[in-house]
Amino acid sequence: MKDSEFYITYDNLRIHAKLDFPAELLSEKEDDRTCPLVIVVHGFTGHMEETHIVGVARTLNETGYATLRVEMYGHGKSDGEFKDHTLLKWMTQMMAVIDYAKALPFVTDLFLCGHSQGGLLTILAAGMKHEVFKAIIPLAPATMIPEGARNGELLGQTFDPENIPDLLTREEGLVLDGNYVRAAQMVYVEPAIRRYRGPVLIVHADTDEAVPYQCALDAVKLYENAKLVTIPGDTHCYDHHLDQVLDAVKAFMEEMKA
Ligand code: FER
């Protein structure tokens, strides 16, 4: 077994990926050992080297799980323009990533963990492929995006949801095609939640400035088997208490081994 960095190609687009193993497996011969795997995904404008993403991946490795960090369409070193990314593209790509991960010869159980828009993606993908995941971990899941798109509220701006602008722009030069909004308007979170009945760990700061804490409260209520760990007084990316997030992930994943 060895750590590796590579691209998964799907529909002629490259998805940048990094596979990391628990230290104790690295000394083993390639064919000898098996291991559970967690797919880990970043959020909107994010990438796989963000502190909270790396922190979660390292913690999982230390807890005995391999991790497959991936960067979705228009993010990190993956193909596609940020401007052109949509939730529907991410959903389709994630299904391909899941199929790739499932087929890796060392993999025993499969898990999915994502932050923010990646947490929303985690919920949606678990709805689409409920049978493949032993458990899922949506971190600060941005479940308000689809409803925001339908109500004309995204990225702290308002617009007419019936007459979507060609482009959404934000300060710092961030430009997003109006098709992002059109796609998001067609996404429904509740049916996805109802389709996944396995264990769910949600971790959310009660003072998250980007994704309302209420998203976690609503999701944990709708899931049949979900647990919420609240991080008091922290930011969207857990700038102050990442250690508490990592402890929660570790404890939950220790339980998943039993
Ligand atoms: C928004 C608020 C939050 C939004 C996206 C996010 C597209 C996602 C944040 C993240 O993934 O970190 O209005 O609109």
Side-chain angles (χ1 to χ4, degrees):
M1 300 262 190
K2 54 179 187 300
D3 293 345
S4 54
E5 176 178 12
F6 53 96
Y7 288 99
I8 300 163
T9 299
Y10 177 66
D11 267 356
N12 286 319
L13 292 169
R14 294 171 314 158
I15 301 164
H16 180 225
K18 277 190 184 175
L19 184 57
D20 294 294
F21 289 98
E24 66 271 18
L25 282 179
L26 285 173
S27 54
E28 298 292 329
K29 278 217 310 253
E30 197 87 26
D31 307 337
D32 284 3
R33 292 290 284 268
T34 59
C35 172
L37 176 73
V38 187
I39 300 168
V40 179
V41 61
H42 60 82
F44 183 86
T45 72
H47 58 83
M48 64 164 70
E49 305 299 348
E50 292 176 290
T51 304
H52 57 294
I53 298 297
V54 172
V56 167
R58 292 283 167 270
T59 297
L60 289 165
N61 298 152
E62 286 161 22
T63 314
Y65 293 84
T67 52
L68 180 68
R69 281 179 289 154
V70 290
E71 291 173 334
M72 306 311 291
Y73 185 105
H75 286 69
K77 294 180 180 163
S78 290
D79 283 343
E81 294 299 321
F82 172 79
K83 175 176 90 47
D84 296 325
H85 93 281
T86 70
L87 287 175
L88 301 183
K89 284 181 182 176
W90 276 30
M91 288 162 74
T92 308
Q93 269 196 338
M94 183 51 82
M95 286 197 281
V97 168
I98 293 163
D99 291 341
Y100 172 87
K102 214 168 54 151
L104 289 169
F106 69 86
V107 173
T108 55
D109 293 319
L110 194 60
F111 300 81
L112 180 57
C113 172
H115 177 252
S116 197
Q117 182 165 289
L120 170 60
L121 181 64
T122 294
I123 289 171
L124 298 169
M128 293 189 291
K129 286 188 177 279
H130 54 88
E131 72 284 5
V132 311
F133 294 112
K134 185 158 183 196
I136 61 167
I137 308 180
L139 302 170
T143 54
M144 77 301 175
I145 291 176
E147 204 56 38
R150 287 187 279 275
N151 293 334
E153 297 170 5
L154 271 185
L155 296 170
Q157 312 177 20
T158 56
F159 51 86
D160 177 357
E162 306 291 334
N163 295 285
I164 298 160
D166 291 339
L167 293 174
L168 277 89
T169 54
R170 206 171 60 170
E171 60 313 342
E172 357 70 63
L174 192 83
V175 179
L176 194 53
D177 197 283
N179 288 338
Y180 174 94
V181 180
R182 296 175 196 278
Q185 285 182 339
M186 292 298 121
V187 170
Y188 288 85
V189 179
E190 265 200 52
I193 288 182
R194 295 195 191 288
R195 279 174 174 278
Y196 185 73
R197 303 216 158 98
V200 179
L201 172 68
I202 300 174
V203 184
H204 210 128
D206 61 1
T207 49
D208 187 321
E209 74 289 2
V211 173
Y213 177 58
Q214 190 63 41
C215 290
L217 296 174
D218 293 342
V220 80
K221 220 179 281 174
L222 286 168
Y223 272 118
E224 245 170 56
N225 183 10
K227 181 184 162 169
L228 170 62
V229 171
T230 300
I231 312 298
D234 212 346
T235 60
H236 183 49
C237 293
Y238 318 109
D239 293 305
H240 307 302
H241 304 299
L242 183 58
D243 54 326
Q244 292 180 24
V245 178
L246 303 183
D247 286 349
V249 167
K250 189 176 177 66
F252 179 76
M253 292 305 276
E254 289 286 2
E255 272 181 53
M256 290 303 120
K257 283 181 182 170

